Short mmCIF file of all heavy atoms in Angstrom, two decimals:
data_model
loop_
_atom_site.label_atom_id
_atom_site.label_comp_id
_atom_site.label_asym_id
_atom_site.label_seq_id
_atom_site.Cartn_x
_atom_site.Cartn_y
_atom_site.Cartn_z
N GLY A 134 45.12 22.45 -31.42
CA GLY A 134 45.47 23.39 -30.36
C GLY A 134 45.86 22.68 -29.07
O GLY A 134 46.20 21.49 -29.06
N ASP A 135 45.83 23.43 -27.97
CA ASP A 135 46.21 22.89 -26.67
C ASP A 135 45.07 22.07 -26.07
O ASP A 135 43.88 22.35 -26.29
CB ASP A 135 46.56 24.03 -25.71
CG ASP A 135 47.79 24.80 -26.16
OD1 ASP A 135 48.65 24.18 -26.81
OD2 ASP A 135 47.87 26.01 -25.87
N LEU A 136 45.44 21.07 -25.30
CA LEU A 136 44.46 20.25 -24.60
C LEU A 136 43.86 21.01 -23.43
O LEU A 136 44.55 21.75 -22.73
CB LEU A 136 45.11 18.96 -24.10
CG LEU A 136 45.76 18.04 -25.13
CD1 LEU A 136 46.42 16.86 -24.44
CD2 LEU A 136 44.72 17.55 -26.12
N THR A 137 42.57 20.82 -23.21
CA THR A 137 41.91 21.38 -22.03
C THR A 137 41.29 20.24 -21.24
O THR A 137 40.57 19.40 -21.79
CB THR A 137 40.83 22.41 -22.41
OG1 THR A 137 39.91 21.81 -23.33
CG2 THR A 137 41.46 23.63 -23.05
N TYR A 138 41.59 20.23 -19.94
CA TYR A 138 41.18 19.12 -19.07
C TYR A 138 40.07 19.56 -18.13
O TYR A 138 39.96 20.74 -17.78
CB TYR A 138 42.36 18.67 -18.21
CG TYR A 138 43.46 17.92 -18.92
CD1 TYR A 138 44.41 18.59 -19.68
CD2 TYR A 138 43.56 16.54 -18.79
CE1 TYR A 138 45.44 17.90 -20.31
CE2 TYR A 138 44.59 15.83 -19.41
CZ TYR A 138 45.52 16.52 -20.17
OH TYR A 138 46.53 15.84 -20.79
N PRO A 139 39.27 18.60 -17.64
CA PRO A 139 38.35 18.91 -16.54
C PRO A 139 39.14 19.05 -15.22
O PRO A 139 40.36 18.85 -15.19
CB PRO A 139 37.43 17.69 -16.50
CG PRO A 139 38.22 16.58 -17.10
CD PRO A 139 39.13 17.22 -18.11
N VAL A 140 38.46 19.41 -14.14
CA VAL A 140 39.11 19.58 -12.84
C VAL A 140 39.59 18.22 -12.34
O VAL A 140 38.81 17.27 -12.24
CB VAL A 140 38.13 20.19 -11.81
CG1 VAL A 140 38.80 20.33 -10.45
CG2 VAL A 140 37.63 21.54 -12.30
N PRO A 141 40.89 18.09 -12.07
CA PRO A 141 41.40 16.79 -11.60
C PRO A 141 41.07 16.54 -10.12
O PRO A 141 40.54 17.41 -9.42
CB PRO A 141 42.91 16.90 -11.82
CG PRO A 141 43.19 18.36 -11.75
CD PRO A 141 41.96 19.07 -12.25
N GLN A 142 41.44 15.36 -9.67
CA GLN A 142 41.29 14.98 -8.27
C GLN A 142 42.66 14.79 -7.66
O GLN A 142 43.64 14.56 -8.37
CB GLN A 142 40.49 13.67 -8.15
CG GLN A 142 39.11 13.73 -8.77
CD GLN A 142 38.57 12.34 -9.08
OE1 GLN A 142 39.10 11.62 -9.91
NE2 GLN A 142 37.51 11.95 -8.38
N THR A 143 42.75 14.88 -6.33
CA THR A 143 44.00 14.62 -5.63
C THR A 143 44.01 13.17 -5.15
O THR A 143 43.00 12.65 -4.71
CB THR A 143 44.18 15.56 -4.44
OG1 THR A 143 43.06 15.43 -3.55
CG2 THR A 143 44.29 17.01 -4.91
N LEU A 144 45.18 12.56 -5.23
CA LEU A 144 45.36 11.20 -4.74
C LEU A 144 46.72 11.14 -4.05
O LEU A 144 47.76 11.24 -4.70
CB LEU A 144 45.31 10.19 -5.89
CG LEU A 144 45.52 8.72 -5.50
CD1 LEU A 144 44.42 8.25 -4.56
CD2 LEU A 144 45.58 7.83 -6.74
N LEU A 145 46.69 11.03 -2.71
CA LEU A 145 47.92 11.01 -1.91
C LEU A 145 48.28 9.56 -1.60
O LEU A 145 47.52 8.84 -0.94
CB LEU A 145 47.73 11.79 -0.61
CG LEU A 145 48.97 12.04 0.23
CD1 LEU A 145 49.97 12.91 -0.53
CD2 LEU A 145 48.60 12.71 1.55
N ILE A 146 49.44 9.12 -2.11
CA ILE A 146 49.92 7.75 -1.89
C ILE A 146 51.33 7.81 -1.34
O ILE A 146 52.24 8.34 -2.00
CB ILE A 146 49.90 6.92 -3.19
CG1 ILE A 146 48.47 6.83 -3.76
CG2 ILE A 146 50.45 5.54 -2.97
CD1 ILE A 146 48.39 6.08 -5.07
N SER A 147 51.51 7.31 -0.12
CA SER A 147 52.84 7.25 0.50
C SER A 147 53.51 8.61 0.53
O SER A 147 54.71 8.74 0.25
CB SER A 147 53.72 6.24 -0.24
OG SER A 147 53.13 4.97 -0.24
N GLY A 148 52.74 9.64 0.84
CA GLY A 148 53.30 10.98 0.94
C GLY A 148 53.53 11.67 -0.39
O GLY A 148 54.07 12.78 -0.42
N MET A 149 53.12 11.05 -1.50
CA MET A 149 53.29 11.64 -2.83
C MET A 149 51.93 12.03 -3.39
O MET A 149 51.01 11.21 -3.42
CB MET A 149 54.00 10.66 -3.76
CG MET A 149 55.36 10.20 -3.25
SD MET A 149 56.19 9.05 -4.37
CE MET A 149 56.62 10.14 -5.71
N MET A 150 51.82 13.27 -3.82
CA MET A 150 50.55 13.80 -4.32
C MET A 150 50.46 13.59 -5.83
O MET A 150 51.37 13.94 -6.58
CB MET A 150 50.43 15.29 -3.99
CG MET A 150 49.16 15.93 -4.51
SD MET A 150 47.66 15.22 -3.78
CE MET A 150 47.75 15.93 -2.13
N ASN A 151 49.34 13.01 -6.25
CA ASN A 151 49.08 12.77 -7.67
C ASN A 151 47.82 13.53 -8.09
O ASN A 151 46.86 13.63 -7.33
CB ASN A 151 48.89 11.28 -7.93
CG ASN A 151 50.08 10.45 -7.52
OD1 ASN A 151 51.00 10.25 -8.30
ND2 ASN A 151 50.09 9.97 -6.29
N HIS A 152 47.82 14.05 -9.32
CA HIS A 152 46.68 14.75 -9.89
C HIS A 152 46.04 13.82 -10.92
O HIS A 152 46.61 13.62 -12.00
CB HIS A 152 47.12 16.06 -10.54
CG HIS A 152 47.93 16.94 -9.62
ND1 HIS A 152 48.89 17.82 -10.07
CD2 HIS A 152 47.91 17.06 -8.26
CE1 HIS A 152 49.43 18.45 -9.05
NE2 HIS A 152 48.86 18.00 -7.94
N VAL A 153 44.88 13.29 -10.61
CA VAL A 153 44.37 12.15 -11.36
C VAL A 153 42.89 12.31 -11.73
O VAL A 153 42.22 13.24 -11.29
CB VAL A 153 44.55 10.85 -10.55
CG1 VAL A 153 46.00 10.66 -10.14
CG2 VAL A 153 43.66 10.84 -9.31
N TYR A 154 42.43 11.33 -12.54
CA TYR A 154 41.01 11.16 -12.86
C TYR A 154 40.68 9.69 -12.60
O TYR A 154 41.22 8.80 -13.25
CB TYR A 154 40.73 11.52 -14.31
CG TYR A 154 41.08 12.95 -14.67
CD1 TYR A 154 42.30 13.25 -15.27
CD2 TYR A 154 40.21 13.99 -14.38
CE1 TYR A 154 42.63 14.56 -15.59
CE2 TYR A 154 40.53 15.31 -14.68
CZ TYR A 154 41.75 15.58 -15.29
OH TYR A 154 42.07 16.88 -15.59
N GLU A 155 39.80 9.46 -11.63
CA GLU A 155 39.48 8.10 -11.23
C GLU A 155 38.19 7.58 -11.88
O GLU A 155 37.82 6.44 -11.67
CB GLU A 155 39.36 8.01 -9.71
CG GLU A 155 40.68 8.29 -9.01
CD GLU A 155 40.62 8.14 -7.51
OE1 GLU A 155 39.74 8.77 -6.89
OE2 GLU A 155 41.43 7.38 -6.96
N GLY A 156 37.51 8.41 -12.64
CA GLY A 156 36.31 8.00 -13.37
C GLY A 156 36.41 8.45 -14.81
O GLY A 156 37.43 9.00 -15.25
N PRO A 157 35.36 8.22 -15.61
CA PRO A 157 35.38 8.67 -17.00
C PRO A 157 35.58 10.18 -17.12
O PRO A 157 35.03 10.95 -16.32
CB PRO A 157 34.00 8.24 -17.52
CG PRO A 157 33.57 7.15 -16.59
CD PRO A 157 34.13 7.48 -15.26
N TYR A 158 36.35 10.58 -18.11
CA TYR A 158 36.59 12.01 -18.33
C TYR A 158 36.90 12.23 -19.80
O TYR A 158 37.20 11.28 -20.55
CB TYR A 158 37.74 12.52 -17.45
CG TYR A 158 39.09 11.90 -17.72
CD1 TYR A 158 40.06 12.57 -18.48
CD2 TYR A 158 39.42 10.64 -17.22
CE1 TYR A 158 41.30 12.00 -18.72
CE2 TYR A 158 40.66 10.06 -17.46
CZ TYR A 158 41.60 10.75 -18.21
OH TYR A 158 42.82 10.18 -18.44
N ALA A 159 36.81 13.49 -20.23
CA ALA A 159 37.06 13.84 -21.63
C ALA A 159 38.02 15.02 -21.68
O ALA A 159 37.87 16.00 -20.94
CB ALA A 159 35.76 14.20 -22.34
N VAL A 160 39.02 14.90 -22.54
CA VAL A 160 40.00 15.96 -22.76
C VAL A 160 39.70 16.57 -24.13
O VAL A 160 39.66 15.87 -25.14
CB VAL A 160 41.44 15.40 -22.72
CG1 VAL A 160 42.45 16.53 -22.92
CG2 VAL A 160 41.70 14.68 -21.40
N LEU A 161 39.49 17.89 -24.15
CA LEU A 161 39.07 18.57 -25.38
C LEU A 161 40.26 19.24 -26.06
O LEU A 161 41.22 19.67 -25.40
CB LEU A 161 38.00 19.61 -25.07
CG LEU A 161 36.75 19.11 -24.32
CD1 LEU A 161 35.74 20.24 -24.17
CD2 LEU A 161 36.13 17.92 -25.04
N VAL A 162 40.17 19.34 -27.40
CA VAL A 162 41.21 20.01 -28.16
C VAL A 162 40.57 20.63 -29.40
O VAL A 162 39.77 19.98 -30.09
CB VAL A 162 42.34 19.02 -28.56
CG1 VAL A 162 41.80 17.84 -29.34
CG2 VAL A 162 43.44 19.73 -29.34
N PRO A 163 40.87 21.91 -29.71
CA PRO A 163 40.33 22.52 -30.93
C PRO A 163 41.18 22.16 -32.15
O PRO A 163 42.40 22.08 -32.08
CB PRO A 163 40.42 24.02 -30.63
CG PRO A 163 41.57 24.14 -29.67
CD PRO A 163 41.59 22.87 -28.87
N LEU A 164 40.51 21.94 -33.27
CA LEU A 164 41.19 21.59 -34.52
C LEU A 164 40.89 22.69 -35.54
O LEU A 164 39.73 22.95 -35.87
CB LEU A 164 40.70 20.23 -35.03
CG LEU A 164 41.43 19.63 -36.22
CD1 LEU A 164 42.86 19.27 -35.84
CD2 LEU A 164 40.70 18.38 -36.72
N SER A 165 41.94 23.34 -36.03
CA SER A 165 41.79 24.44 -36.99
C SER A 165 41.69 23.90 -38.41
O SER A 165 42.48 23.03 -38.82
CB SER A 165 42.97 25.41 -36.89
OG SER A 165 43.01 26.00 -35.60
N VAL A 166 40.70 24.42 -39.17
CA VAL A 166 40.44 23.97 -40.54
C VAL A 166 40.90 25.06 -41.52
O VAL A 166 40.54 26.23 -41.35
CB VAL A 166 38.94 23.68 -40.74
CG1 VAL A 166 38.68 23.16 -42.15
CG2 VAL A 166 38.45 22.69 -39.69
#
């Protein structure tokens, strides 16, 4: 299925906004049997 992410963090570098994870995180996905 579709990936589900935890809440990301904002990282502003040189006026450009990035949506990131700066520490450990897990992305979940359901698998149909």
Side-chain angles (χ1 to χ4, degrees):
D135 295 330
L136 300 177
T137 54
Y138 288 79
V140 178
Q142 301 160 295
T143 57
L144 179 63
L145 189 64
I146 300 178
S147 302
M149 303 180 71
M150 178 62 74
N151 301 272
H152 307 151
V153 304
Y154 300 97
E155 295 183 306
Y158 63 101
V160 182
L161 305 184
V162 57
L164 188 67
S165 298
V166 182

